Amino acid sequence: MISFADYERHDALALASLVATGNIHPRELIETAIARIEEVNPKLNAVVHKLYDRARAEAARELPGGPFRGVPFLLKDLLALLEGTCTTNGCRLYVGHIAPRDSEIVRRQRAAGLVIVGKTNTPELGILPVTEPALHGATRNPWSLAHTPGGSSGGSAAAVAASIVPMAHGGDGGGSIRIPAACCGLFGVKPTRGRNPLGPFVGEGWHGMVVEHAVTRTVRDSAALLDATQGPDLGAPYVAPAPERPFLEETKREPGKLRIAFTTDSLLGSSVHADCVAAAQDAAKLCAGLGHIVEEARPPVDRHLLSRAWLTLVSAETAAEIELLGRTAAKKPRASDFEPGTWMLAQAGRAFRADELAVAVHDIRMTGRAIARFFEKFDLLLTPTVATPPPEIGALLPKPADLAVLATLRALPHAGAIRKVLDTLADRAFEFAAFTPVANATGQPAMSVPLYWNAAGLPIGVHFMGRYGEEATLFRVAAQLEAARPWGKRRPAL
């Protein structure tokens, strides 16, 4: 059996290479991943559904000869459906819903040779930027168990940072791949809108803001996985521009001399922690040293307009998801089936008029057009990934006073009061997730790169946003940064 020391020092492509050359059998990799889950998951609560027997049986059969043949993999317990299993979306009302078939991205991941050993924790319906659902409990950060791994792909990021698997599935509707990557010292890419499939069970996510991909330790794993999964599926409402060449090949090409805009001003909040400012400044200096032109410039984001449009759209989508769930659930959805904040968000979504939703979508699309003009001058935008280091567990959840107000409004709903409470909660979330949602609104690709750790030993991610359809530029720069400032050997002292 492969030693854990050998297992954790190899990325996914390297493990697959060992399988391809006959130096190791997939069963050995699966058993190593299972042993690691059993060892560290009681501390982390990253894996919430164990699929050991299924993974063992799959590894014993002839696996597809893809680029990741035999490599263990984890699915986020949100959106990604695996035939014959339940995806809870962090919500108790989904418990017992068994998928009749794989979702398309899961089918492509499995066709690439990945073996799914479990599912990872996520906040209810993927709404919050931390992973602390009532259904499964909080996931903890391997770098400090008192702190969050971020969200909503927090379980996946914690699992990869703890070396359970070399990479894991994630989804990103407002930073949900990049925020956990930043909090856990990993590489995380949000692809261009429409790059990866969302079907066949979902038409689109949050009016096109949701994209699925993964958190990884190495740049090349992310690129190779995107090569394996990218491309539209049947009936896709959006189609990203076709890549010129495989993304894995892009990681071996020089990026050239790029013009990079740089700002540490909060895009959606009011302030940025000194550690996050220092991380972005350090990255800007590094990029300049690599020959790029780095210029301070802030993109044209109206923080009040975009954050309120975001709240309108997500609350309407939450109400719609609960309505759609009611069509298939054994019982009518009730407030007691959901966390207070989720139910309140849905109540607000029911209160908004159709024209208010249409205006919100208009405002988001116009933000995209304004930022596209900004990118006529610049190749990349460099910022912190989040505005604070990883918060402590519980810091972004509703406070006791908030819960009391939510309970009252649940019993006696008042549209104006609901919106006021949600504005307060949204402002709190955007103080942390102050940068990442912009790329979801515009549809542009973006990534968090692990270039900095603060004095407390917590990872601080650096965010790069690229032009629409140009993941190639991101992968080239990421590979350049990885070579200049290697992060792959850094491990939390669990």
Side-chain angles (χ1 to χ4, degrees):
M1 183 172 177
I2 186 172
S3 70
F4 176 70
D6 282 341
Y7 174 81
E8 75 163 347
R9 72 182 176 85
H10 286 81
D11 67 1
L13 285 172
L15 291 176
S17 178
L18 293 176
V19 171
T21 56
N23 289 314
I24 196 168
H25 193 279
R27 288 193 301 267
E28 296 179 67
L29 298 181
I30 300 310
E31 292 301 334
T32 303
I34 289 172
R36 185 62 173 171
I37 292 172
E38 292 301 302
E39 179 186 1
V40 301
N41 200 57
K43 302 175 185 177
L44 300 176
N45 191 35
V47 179
V48 292
H49 298 300
K50 299 172 181 178
L51 300 171
Y52 297 169
D53 291 343
R54 181 186 181 118
R56 286 169 171 142
E58 193 166 330
R61 297 192 296 268
E62 186 65 28
L63 289 163
F68 298 108
R69 180 171 176 261
V71 175
F73 192 66
L74 291 164
L75 293 179
K76 179 180 178 180
D77 194 31
L78 181 79
L79 283 179
L81 300 187
L82 177 65
E83 181 179 353
T85 69
C86 174
T87 297
T88 70
N89 302 298
C91 175
R92 64 175 64 92
L93 206 58
Y94 278 96
V95 174
H97 283 229
I98 304 301
R101 56 170 286 190
D102 293 350
S103 56
E104 179 60 18
I105 193 168
V106 173
R107 187 196 69 77
R108 295 182 188 185
Q109 289 163 346
R110 297 178 70 193
L114 293 167
V115 180
I116 296 163
V117 297
K119 297 187 180 183
T120 60
N121 205 8
T122 184
E124 188 170 69
L125 305 187
I127 294 168
L128 294 177
V130 294
T131 303
E132 303 172 35
L135 178 63
H136 296 302
T139 295
R140 297 181 178 274
N141 193 321
W143 293 93
S144 168
L145 298 180
H147 292 81
T148 181
S152 62
S153 307
S156 287
V160 175
S163 300
I164 291 173
V165 289
M167 61 182 185
H169 165 263
D172 194 314
S176 290
I177 287 174
R178 293 159 290 153
I179 291 171
C183 290
C184 292
L186 301 173
F187 181 65
V189 169
K190 181 203 85 71
T192 297
R193 176 181 293 143
R195 176 69 68 200
N196 268 337
L198 278 173
F201 304 104
V202 175
E204 64 172 353
W206 289 1
H207 284 256
M209 293 198 294
V210 174
V211 186
E212 293 179 88
H213 185 40
V215 285
T216 68
R217 183 171 292 114
T218 64
V219 173
R220 70 174 193 159
D221 274 355
S222 183
L225 182 60
L226 193 56
D227 284 332
T229 59
Q230 69 93 22
D233 55 339
L234 190 64
Y238 310 102
V239 177
E244 184 177 346
R245 60 185 64 85
F247 294 123
L248 182 58
E249 187 178 328
E250 297 291 1
T251 67
K252 303 167 188 175
R253 297 171 70 93
E254 289 297 319
K257 188 172 187 177
L258 301 177
R259 191 158 193 174
I260 302 174
F262 159 64
T263 184
T264 59
D265 290 344
S266 180
L267 299 184
L268 295 175
S270 60
S271 63
V272 180
H273 191 281
D275 289 346
C276 300
V277 171
Q281 289 174 337
D282 174 72
K285 184 177 179 180
L286 176 60
C287 288
L290 291 169
H292 302 297
I293 301 170
V294 181
E295 177 182 336
E296 287 205 44
R298 188 182 188 281
V301 176
D302 184 325
R303 66 183 65 184
H304 179 78
L305 180 143
L306 185 57
S307 63
R308 291 309 171 262
W310 192 277
L311 182 62
T312 302
L313 188 150
V314 173
S315 62
E317 289 283 330
T318 303
E321 180 166 0
I322 292 174
E323 174 69 23
L324 292 169
L325 178 58
R327 296 180 184 179
T328 57
K331 63 176 184 176
K332 182 179 179 181
R334 300 173 298 181
S336 58
D337 296 318
F338 300 89
E339 295 172 21
T342 303
W343 187 255
M344 184 62 59
L345 199 61
Q347 282 184 297
R350 298 184 192 103
F352 282 122
R353 302 185 309 270
D355 64 311
E356 290 179 289
L357 174 60
V359 168
V361 173
H362 168 84
D363 288 340
I364 288 171
R365 296 289 182 259
M366 291 309 295
T367 298
R369 292 192 179 276
I371 291 179
R373 287 192 293 273
F374 179 80
F375 273 85
E376 286 185 317
K377 181 179 179 181
F378 297 103
D379 299 298
L380 296 173
L381 170 64
L382 191 168
T383 68
T385 304
V386 287
T388 73
E392 291 188 354
I393 298 292
L396 296 186
L397 294 185
K399 310 303 180 190
D402 299 326
L403 292 173
V405 172
L406 291 173
T408 300
L409 290 175
R410 186 172 57 199
L412 300 169
H414 181 276
I418 289 172
R419 294 186 190 188
K420 185 175 181 180
V421 171
L422 285 178
D423 278 348
T424 300
L425 296 177
D427 285 343
R428 192 180 300 161
F430 282 128
E431 280 299 316
F432 174 56
F435 298 95
T436 54
V438 174
N440 299 87
T442 67
Q444 293 169 233
M447 64 183 182
S448 182
V449 185
L451 295 174
Y452 195 91
W453 274 252
N454 68 8
L458 292 172
I460 309 291
V462 178
H463 193 256
F464 292 83
M465 182 173 165
R467 290 194 189 98
Y468 191 89
E470 292 190 12
E471 288 95 333
T473 303
L474 293 179
F475 281 123
R476 291 175 191 169
V477 170
Q480 185 184 49
L481 294 171
E482 187 179 33
R485 185 85 59 81
W487 61 75
K489 292 183 180 179
R490 296 193 71 140
R491 297 289 189 276
L494 266 176

Coordinates of all heavy atoms in Angstrom, one line a residue, residues 22 43 51 57 61 136 206 222 272 279 288 294 324 361 364 375 468:
G22 N 1.5 1.2 -13.6 CA 1.4 -0.1 -12.9 C 2.1 -0.1 -11.6 O 2.2 -1.1 -10.9
K43 N -12.1 15.6 13.5 CA -11.7 17.0 13.9 C -12.3 18.0 12.9 O -12.6 19.1 13.4 CB -10.2 17.1 13.8 CG -9.4 16.1 14.7 CD -7.9 16.3 14.4 CE -7.1 15.3 15.2 NZ -5.7 15.4 14.9
L51 N -18.9 7.1 1.0 CA -19.2 6.2 0.0 C -18.2 5.1 -0.2 O -17.8 4.8 -1.3 CB -19.5 6.9 -1.3 CG -20.6 8.0 -1.2 CD1 -20.6 8.9 -2.5 CD2 -22.0 7.4 -1.0
A57 N -15.7 -0.9 -4.7 CA -16.2 -1.7 -5.8 C -15.8 -1.1 -7.2 O -15.5 -1.9 -8.1 CB -17.7 -1.9 -5.7
R61 N -13.0 -2.6 -10.4 CA -13.4 -2.8 -11.8 C -12.5 -2.1 -12.7 O -11.6 -1.3 -12.3 CB -14.9 -2.4 -12.0 CG -15.9 -3.1 -11.2 CD -17.3 -2.8 -11.7 NE -17.7 -1.4 -11.6 CZ -18.3 -1.0 -10.5 NH1 -18.7 -1.8 -9.5 NH2 -18.7 0.3 -10.4
H136 N -25.6 19.4 9.2 CA -24.4 18.6 9.4 C -23.4 19.2 10.4 O -22.4 18.5 10.7 CB -23.7 18.4 8.1 CG -24.5 17.6 7.0 ND1 -24.9 16.3 7.3 CD2 -24.9 17.9 5.8 CE1 -25.6 15.9 6.2 NE2 -25.6 16.8 5.3
W206 N -28.8 30.7 -10.4 CA -28.8 32.1 -10.0 C -28.6 33.0 -11.2 O -27.7 33.9 -11.3 CB -27.7 32.4 -9.0 CG -28.0 31.8 -7.6 CD1 -29.1 31.1 -7.2 CD2 -27.2 32.0 -6.4 NE1 -29.0 30.7 -5.9 CE2 -27.9 31.3 -5.4 CE3 -26.0 32.6 -6.2 CZ2 -27.4 31.2 -4.1 CZ3 -25.5 32.5 -4.9 CH2 -26.1 31.8 -3.9
S222 N -6.0 21.6 -11.7 CA -7.2 22.4 -12.0 C -7.4 22.5 -13.5 O -8.5 22.3 -14.1 CB -7.1 23.8 -11.4 OG -8.3 24.5 -11.6
V272 N -11.0 46.7 4.5 CA -10.2 45.5 4.2 C -9.1 45.3 5.3 O -8.4 46.3 5.6 CB -9.5 45.6 2.8 CG1 -8.7 44.3 2.6 CG2 -10.6 45.8 1.7
A279 N -1.3 41.0 1.7 CA -1.2 39.8 0.8 C -1.3 40.3 -0.7 O -0.5 39.9 -1.6 CB -2.3 38.8 1.1
A288 N 5.0 42.4 -10.6 CA 5.9 43.4 -11.2 C 7.3 42.9 -11.4 O 7.9 43.1 -12.4 CB 5.9 44.7 -10.3
V294 N 2.0 46.6 -13.4 CA 1.0 46.6 -12.4 C 0.6 48.1 -12.1 O 1.5 48.9 -11.8 CB 1.5 45.9 -11.1 CG1 0.4 46.0 -10.0 CG2 1.9 44.5 -11.4
L324 N -39.9 24.8 -6.1 CA -39.7 23.7 -6.9 C -39.5 22.4 -6.1 O -39.9 21.3 -6.5 CB -38.4 23.9 -7.8 CG -38.6 25.0 -8.9 CD1 -37.2 25.3 -9.5 CD2 -39.6 24.5 -9.9
V361 N -31.7 42.0 -12.3 CA -30.9 41.3 -13.3 C -30.3 42.4 -14.3 O -29.2 42.2 -14.7 CB -31.8 40.3 -14.1 CG1 -31.1 39.8 -15.3 CG2 -32.3 39.2 -13.2
I364 N -27.2 43.9 -12.7 CA -26.1 43.0 -12.7 C -25.5 42.9 -14.1 O -24.3 42.9 -14.2 CB -26.6 41.6 -12.2 CG1 -26.8 41.7 -10.7 CG2 -25.5 40.5 -12.5 CD1 -27.5 40.4 -10.1
F375 N -11.8 46.1 -18.7 CA -10.8 45.1 -19.2 C -10.4 45.3 -20.6 O -9.6 44.5 -21.1 CB -11.4 43.6 -19.0 CG -11.2 43.1 -17.6 CD1 -12.0 43.4 -16.6 CD2 -10.1 42.3 -17.3 CE1 -11.8 42.9 -15.3 CE2 -9.8 41.8 -16.1 CZ -10.7 42.1 -15.0
Y468 N -13.5 37.8 -20.0 CA -14.5 36.7 -20.3 C -13.9 35.7 -21.3 O -13.4 36.1 -22.4 CB -15.8 37.4 -20.9 CG -17.0 36.4 -21.0 CD1 -17.9 36.3 -19.9 CD2 -17.2 35.6 -22.1 CE1 -18.9 35.4 -20.0 CE2 -18.2 34.8 -22.2 CZ -19.1 34.7 -21.1 OH -20.2 33.8 -21.2

